[in-house]
Amino acid sequence: MESKQLKWGYLFVLSLVWGSSFILIKKGLIGLTAIQVGSLRIIFAALFLLIIGFNSLSKIPRHKWKFIVLTSVFGTFVPAFLFAIAETELDSGVTAILNSLTPLSTLLLGILFFGVAFQKRQVWGVLIGLAGSLLLVFNGAVNHPNQNYFYAILVVIASICYAINVNLIKRYLSDLTPLSITTGNFLILSLPSLTILYFTGFFNTASLTEVSESLTAMQESILYIMILGVVGTGIANILFFKLIQISSPVFATSVTYLIPIVAFFWGLLDNEMLTSVQFFGAFIILIGVYLSAKK
């Protein structure tokens, strides 16, 4: 009973944290490029986790490190850049709604590659969710010609990456502590992210004090991404990996039921709005996700 109540608590907290992540990315893009946002997000998370979790690295057996590398790539590295790039063209609320395809991707990959049992109802859930996402994207493209909805493909790819990640963790890393997994992930990613950030010219730009207005915008954006990195990435990943261990991959990714709700309200505060048809498409997606995750 305690474990059941605990998993719902983790789910609620994660929905608040990750639901707020999309508006933080949007704010970060005001003074930074998408590649800089992705890199800094990982670097801030890595600094925080290495401070609090460095000693936990010794608990990772040598033969598990290959899975740590894989989960770092699929669970953090690729999605961090894909979401930032996607939000250069899409509203944060729309991006969050499309991210709710993650449980569907988790179920499909679990069936195809990880031997997860499924029911006919779950297959219908996948099909319904895909139909809702297509409606959301096509209607958005028609009603928001200033936004490039081809970038929605990047969000779908990110959801597939998340699905690979949770299935890998559940099968191969369930015996490790969430702090060990998360710290190991960001230890792997710290050097590549720092290298990418260097080649974006970030450090040269940051030293140009004569362009005070641009520098102020950059400093504000860095603050938003620091919050995103520490809270929305570092702490959230620890909670998420714990949730995967005490529940199932599909239940853990069902946090995306609630993320769009939180993200939508943040979007309203930032003058974003969905059309009635997009609302309907979002509702269809959530029905599909519910059916696919229900046992």
Side-chain angles (χ1 to χ4, degrees):
M1 180 63 70
E2 183 178 349
S3 178
K4 184 177 181 180
Q5 293 174 342
L6 193 60
K7 71 180 184 180
W8 285 104
Y10 280 126
L11 196 73
F12 178 73
V13 172
L14 281 169
S15 69
L16 293 178
V17 173
W18 275 338
S20 303
S21 294
F22 295 92
I23 195 67
L24 289 173
I25 293 172
K26 182 178 180 179
K27 295 298 185 182
L29 288 168
I30 293 175
L32 299 166
T33 68
I35 302 302
Q36 289 171 342
V37 166
S39 300
L40 282 170
R41 177 181 184 177
I42 294 171
I43 291 167
F44 282 129
L47 289 172
F48 169 73
L49 288 164
L50 288 172
I51 290 172
I52 69 167
F54 184 79
N55 291 336
S56 68
L57 294 173
S58 60
K59 300 177 182 178
I60 303 176
R62 182 175 299 179
H63 69 280
K64 294 280 188 178
W65 274 100
K66 58 180 178 291
F67 299 115
I68 295 292
V69 172
L70 288 173
T71 55
S72 69
V73 172
F74 289 111
T76 298
F77 190 74
V78 175
F81 292 102
L82 291 181
F83 278 116
I85 295 170
E87 285 201 38
T88 61
E89 292 290 339
L90 302 176
D91 284 342
S92 60
V94 171
T95 306
I97 292 168
L98 290 172
N99 182 53
S100 66
L101 292 171
T102 299
L104 307 183
S105 302
T106 302
L107 177 65
L108 283 175
L109 292 177
I111 292 169
L112 294 174
F113 301 107
F114 294 91
V116 174
F118 66 96
Q119 301 176 12
K120 184 182 294 186
R121 178 189 62 251
Q122 293 176 306
V123 176
W124 278 111
V126 170
L127 296 176
I128 291 171
L130 291 176
S133 64
L134 290 174
L135 179 62
L136 178 73
V137 169
F138 284 125
N139 182 261
V142 171
N143 288 280
H144 299 91
N146 59 316
Q147 297 182 29
N148 188 344
Y149 269 73
F150 281 109
Y151 278 66
I153 296 172
L154 301 180
V155 184
V156 174
I157 295 172
S159 76
I160 293 172
C161 288
Y162 283 149
I164 295 171
N165 178 53
V166 294
N167 278 297
L168 286 171
I169 290 171
K170 187 65 178 181
R171 170 161 290 198
Y172 299 109
L173 299 176
S174 286
D175 56 329
L176 300 182
T177 66
L179 183 59
S180 297
I181 299 170
T182 312
T183 306
N185 282 167
F186 284 91
L187 174 66
I188 296 293
L189 298 180
S190 55
L191 183 58
S193 299
L194 193 59
T195 303
I196 291 172
L197 184 65
Y198 173 80
F199 283 108
T200 66
F202 171 81
F203 297 103
N204 294 332
T205 306
S207 65
L208 297 179
T209 54
E210 64 271 15
V211 284
S212 57
E213 186 174 337
S214 297
L215 186 63
T216 300
M218 174 180 283
Q219 289 171 338
E220 291 179 357
S221 294
I222 290 172
L223 177 61
Y224 286 123
I225 300 307
M226 182 172 67
I227 297 171
L228 176 65
V230 174
V231 181
T233 307
I235 295 175
N237 274 6
I238 295 173
L239 297 177
F240 185 58
F241 293 162
K242 178 63 177 178
L243 180 59
I244 295 171
Q245 292 177 339
I246 65 175
S247 61
S248 68
V250 174
F251 179 87
T253 54
S254 66
V255 65
T256 53
Y257 296 164
L258 303 175
I259 285 175
I261 299 173
V262 178
F264 173 69
F265 280 107
W266 278 116
L268 284 179
L269 294 175
D270 203 50
N271 299 314
E272 294 181 7
M273 181 56 69
L274 299 177
T275 67
S276 57
V277 176
Q278 284 183 303
F279 267 117
F280 183 61
F283 178 68
I284 292 175
I285 289 174
L286 294 179
I287 291 175
V289 172
Y290 172 76
L291 291 174
S292 70
K294 186 178 179 183
K295 292 184 178 180

